[in-house]
Amino acid sequence: IQDDISNYSAWHARTVALTELNRVPDTEWDLVMNAIYTGAQDQSVWFYVFWLLERDPSGKEALRKACLELISLDGEQEGPHL
């Protein structure tokens, strides 16, 4: 994921590992926010976001703020379609 945030297989492997751990690490939303700001249009990140929200809704407000910020960016970058 650090080398290529578009690696869907890596995101999927992360869901499997965290499901087996039966917990979400405290830093998981930080990882997700960095991925969103790096590649807001990357579908693999958003699939993971939806999975993570089901398991740990604590990041919902930070996610909402990040989406609003991305949407408000100038026309050079299109924000995510929610």
Side-chain angles (χ1 to χ4, degrees):
I1 293 172
Q2 290 179 347
D3 292 337
D4 179 11
I5 64 163
S6 296
N7 186 339
Y8 183 82
S9 296
W11 287 107
H12 176 71
R14 195 165 187 86
T15 66
V16 172
L18 293 181
T19 299
E20 289 176 4
L21 282 176
N22 201 26
R23 70 176 192 86
V24 175
D26 295 337
T27 58
E28 201 64 14
W29 279 107
D30 293 333
L31 173 72
V32 168
M33 292 303 162
N34 286 334
I36 288 170
Y37 280 105
T38 301
Q41 297 300 321
D42 191 319
Q43 291 181 356
S44 59
V45 173
W46 290 105
F47 279 116
Y48 187 75
V49 166
F50 295 132
W51 177 88
L52 185 58
L53 278 171
E54 290 179 5
R55 279 133 190 97
D56 180 20
S58 69
K60 188 175 184 178
E61 183 59 24
L63 177 63
R64 185 187 73 77
K65 288 178 182 178
C67 289
L68 290 174
E69 183 177 339
L70 286 169
I71 290 168
S72 71
L73 290 175
D74 62 359
E76 293 179 22
Q77 178 177 343
E78 186 177 323
H81 298 285
L82 302 176

